[in-house]
Amino acid sequence: MSTFNRVAIVGGTHGNEFSGIYLLKKWEQSLGTISRPSFETETLFANPNAFRDNKRYLDCDLNRQFVPADLANPELANYEQSRAKAINLQLGPKGDARTDLVIDLHNTTSNMGPTLILLKNDAFNTQLAAYVAERMDNAVILFEDHCSMEEHYFLCSIAEQGIIIEVGPQSQSVVRQDVLEWMETMTLHILDFVELYNNGDVPPLPDTVSAYRYVETLKLPEDENGERIGMVHKNVQDADFKPLIKGDPIYTLFDGTEILWQGDYEAYPHFINEAAYYDNNLAMSLGKKVDIQVIK
């Protein structure tokens, strides 16, 4: 069992997702809240200039800049690309990071509740999923373990273990008390679990945990010029993690035509109509509901 010596909590990767930013400000005034005896905890405000300008990002999405080839490319030098390189030096470097675990705090405009996104299906992550699910009745567990940590372009993939807390619905550039409290509660549960894991004191856990696994991302209907010609169907809007089966309406074109889901599996939409994805016309992600084996 690997021991976690350094944990980094990151907020403000996107400058207009405020919950993580204001939690960092709160915790920096009372570091005892996030300190644990067996490991060091540090905080990082990832994109302060985007927060200053009340934008998701200035030049490009910071949370898509952490592929090793991009980090090593000096020609990629706009603001977010430069921030990625600086963050990689501070927390990493990726592949040989001094930080053992990165917890990256995010908000979504989608109705996803408190969602824990895990990038690996191993003993630590499956036990963490079961631990959090037992302590938060409304927690949603989402595995995005479709590629290796090296291939992931997320900020949290700098470390050997990386976690994303994604909580919504929350409009950009506002703070909601319920969303902030869910994010704080989930973060503290994770820190508690790491302490237990380090000390070999993880309590008995179930053999499986109910979760979702990412499958694909869908785009909004477009014409041949890439212009939107429709929107997410009203029956799907705000129905994150509700089942979608073949024949259910998924889009409505602006002329009133309904487009039906033609997939060959029962899908669970999430990130539905996420406002941050305006620049690439993404409609939603789809996952499958799964029972994950808790590796002990």
Side-chain angles (χ1 to χ4, degrees):
M1 183 181 73
S2 298
T3 300
F4 293 84
N5 297 310
R6 294 184 179 90
V7 175
I9 305 174
V10 180
T13 300
H14 298 130
N16 58 7
E17 296 178 5
F18 280 5
S19 292
I21 294 167
Y22 283 98
L23 281 175
L24 290 190
K25 292 175 182 288
K26 173 183 176 178
W27 292 331
E28 286 166 359
Q29 297 301 312
S30 61
L31 289 174
T33 305
I34 56 173
S35 297
R36 300 292 183 275
S38 72
F39 58 89
E40 297 178 12
T41 307
E42 65 180 296
T43 60
L44 174 66
F45 191 166
N47 201 334
N49 285 7
F51 174 66
R52 177 200 65 200
D53 291 356
N54 194 22
K55 294 180 177 180
R56 178 176 173 86
Y57 53 78
L58 300 188
D59 296 314
C60 62
D61 191 332
L62 178 58
N63 206 33
R64 303 294 186 274
Q65 307 308 314
F66 291 88
V67 175
D70 293 345
L71 292 168
N73 186 349
E75 295 184 3
L76 300 178
N78 69 27
Y79 176 69
E80 274 80 19
Q81 290 163 348
S82 298
R83 280 296 296 157
K85 292 174 173 62
I87 291 167
N88 186 52
L89 288 175
Q90 181 174 343
L91 301 183
K94 188 169 183 175
D96 187 25
R98 72 173 190 85
T99 307
D100 301 304
L101 169 65
V102 174
I103 305 168
D104 197 10
L105 307 178
H106 286 262
N107 289 125
T108 173
T109 62
S110 303
N111 189 28
M112 290 173 57
T115 299
L116 178 61
I117 300 179
L118 302 172
L119 306 186
K120 284 185 173 182
N121 183 2
D122 60 8
F124 172 75
N125 284 275
T126 59
Q127 290 181 37
L128 173 64
Y131 180 89
V132 171
E134 283 194 330
R135 284 153 183 80
M136 291 185 71
D137 291 340
N138 58 346
V140 177
I141 310 298
L142 175 62
F143 279 82
E144 292 198 11
D145 55 343
H146 51 281
C147 65
S148 69
M149 291 295 276
E150 182 177 3
E151 294 170 305
H152 268 293
Y153 43 51
F154 298 139
L155 185 155
C156 69
S157 71
I158 289 173
E160 180 67 21
Q161 296 287 0
I163 293 167
I164 299 172
I165 298 178
E166 190 81 54
V167 189
Q170 180 165 287
S171 300
Q172 295 170 341
S173 306
V174 303
V175 178
R176 280 180 51 151
Q177 182 178 355
D178 54 351
V179 168
L180 187 98
E181 289 176 350
W182 289 338
M183 181 178 284
E184 180 166 32
T185 297
M186 184 172 280
T187 303
L188 297 182
H189 281 318
I190 293 169
L191 296 174
D192 289 343
F193 177 79
V194 174
E195 178 71 11
L196 294 168
Y197 192 86
N198 275 350
N199 294 327
D201 290 333
V202 175
L205 297 170
D207 293 332
T208 61
V209 60
S210 180
Y212 302 89
R213 175 167 276 135
Y214 169 81
V215 175
E216 59 182 316
T217 299
L218 303 183
K219 297 195 74 174
L220 289 161
E222 300 173 336
D223 63 16
E224 62 275 9
N225 298 316
E227 295 292 328
R228 293 186 190 183
I229 58 173
M231 53 195 160
V232 172
H233 195 279
K234 61 186 179 183
N235 290 355
V236 178
Q237 182 65 50
D238 300 324
D240 293 75
F241 300 111
K242 301 295 191 297
L244 183 71
I245 60 175
K246 186 174 183 178
D248 285 345
I250 189 170
Y251 303 120
T252 303
L253 303 186
F254 295 134
D255 66 8
T257 304
E258 290 188 340
I259 305 298
L260 307 183
W261 166 239
Q262 296 299 325
D264 60 358
Y265 64 95
E266 184 176 79
Y268 288 81
H270 51 283
F271 286 114
I272 297 170
N273 226 2
E274 166 60 57
Y277 299 154
Y278 66 91
D279 55 355
N280 48 22
N281 277 353
L282 297 185
M284 67 193 75
S285 295
L286 298 180
K288 291 182 178 180
K289 193 170 187 178
V290 292
D291 287 327
I292 296 291
Q293 181 80 27
V294 177
I295 301 171
K296 301 175 183 178

